[in-house]
Each structure stands twice: as C-alpha cells, then as structure tokens.
Amino acid sequence: MYPEHPGHLPTERAVTIHQPVPVAPVQAASLVPIQPAGIPAVASIVLPDGRIVTGYAIDPMQHEPVAAKPVVSRAAVNIALGGIGFGAVCGGLVLLTAFVAALAAFIHQLIILAAVIFGGWIAVQVLGSNRHGAGTTVNIRKAVIKRNHFHG
C-alpha cells in the first residue's frame, strides 16, 4: 500500500474509464461564388443586330483627388513671417540701445558732477582761510620792502 517502500506493489489500483463523446455533425454551408477582388465580373451585351458580346465590365478609373495647392507656398509664408518678427525685434533692439546710451551718458554726467563738487570741496579745504589758528600769520603792514626785497 505504500509505494515508497521498494519491493512492495499496491494491491488496489484506481482505474478511470473514458467514454468517447460523439461529435455533432457539421452542417455544410452552401458555397456562394465570390469574385476575387482583383478580377471584374463577366458581362454580356446584346447588340442591336443580334450579336452577343461577352467580356469584362471595366469601371472607369477613378483618380485620386489632388489636394489644391495654395497660391503661396508655406516656405514663402514662413520667410515673410520671420521677416516681420525680425523687424519687430529690431525696433525693440534700437530702443534698447538708445536706452543704454542715454543711461551711460547720465552716469557719465553724474561722475563729472561728483568730481566737480568733490574737487571744489577739496579746494576750499586746502586754499580756504585758516580760522583755526594752525597756520603762520604774516602782518604785511609792518614789513619793509626795499629795492624789491622783502624784509620782515
């Protein structure tokens, strides 16, 4: 009963029996002749004198509709729009350069004004009157000038 033991065969074996299942008969579909896509159908025409002409009926060929070309090409339109945009930008660049030039002139004049004011202040400090008593005072009235010589 235990198949894992060597030399021991099981006495009972489970047997499964399969019965065949009948398949339902297939109904044959009626065949309809289908004309292949590349070959046109055969047509017969009776002429007025009684003759019969048989041949393939050919439909007139339909051409693909051609897209209407624009009057102006896209490249020309793009070039024109680029030119308009460039012109608009150039106007702005001219204004920008004019603004930068005016700003540079203004800063230049401020520097000159500061130099004049600062230089004037320094001149007043150096050449101004000595009211603090730190310098030497010369009384010219007591000086004696003889023969173009100063004797103090």
Side-chain angles (χ1 to χ4, degrees):
M1 294 205 123
Y2 300 104
E4 54 267 358
H5 296 296
H8 187 319
L9 296 176
T11 57
E12 294 181 18
R13 187 177 263 190
V15 177
T16 305
I17 300 173
H18 296 282
Q19 296 292 330
V21 178
V23 177
V26 176
Q27 297 289 334
S30 62
L31 297 176
V32 177
I34 298 174
Q35 193 72 16
I39 302 173
V42 176
S44 296
I45 298 173
V46 178
L47 297 176
D49 61 353
R51 292 183 293 162
I52 298 173
V53 177
T54 304
Y56 293 107
I58 300 175
D59 294 330
M61 181 175 279
Q62 299 290 331
H63 294 288
E64 293 285 328
V66 178
K69 286 188 173 182
V71 178
V72 180
S73 69
R74 287 182 185 249
V77 171
N78 289 338
I79 291 171
L81 289 177
I84 292 170
F86 183 73
V89 169
C90 284
L93 289 176
V94 167
L95 289 176
L96 181 65
T97 54
F99 174 74
V100 169
L103 184 64
F106 177 71
I107 291 173
H108 184 254
Q109 294 212 353
L110 283 179
I111 291 171
I112 291 174
L113 179 65
V116 167
I117 291 174
F118 185 68
W121 180 75
I122 293 213
V124 166
Q125 295 298 320
V126 170
L127 302 175
S129 63
N130 294 328
R131 296 182 185 180
H132 302 294
T136 303
T137 304
V138 176
N139 193 350
I140 296 178
R141 285 187 232 160
K142 293 181 180 178
V144 178
I145 300 173
K146 292 182 179 178
R147 296 188 183 163
N148 296 330
H149 291 288
F150 177 76
H151 301 282

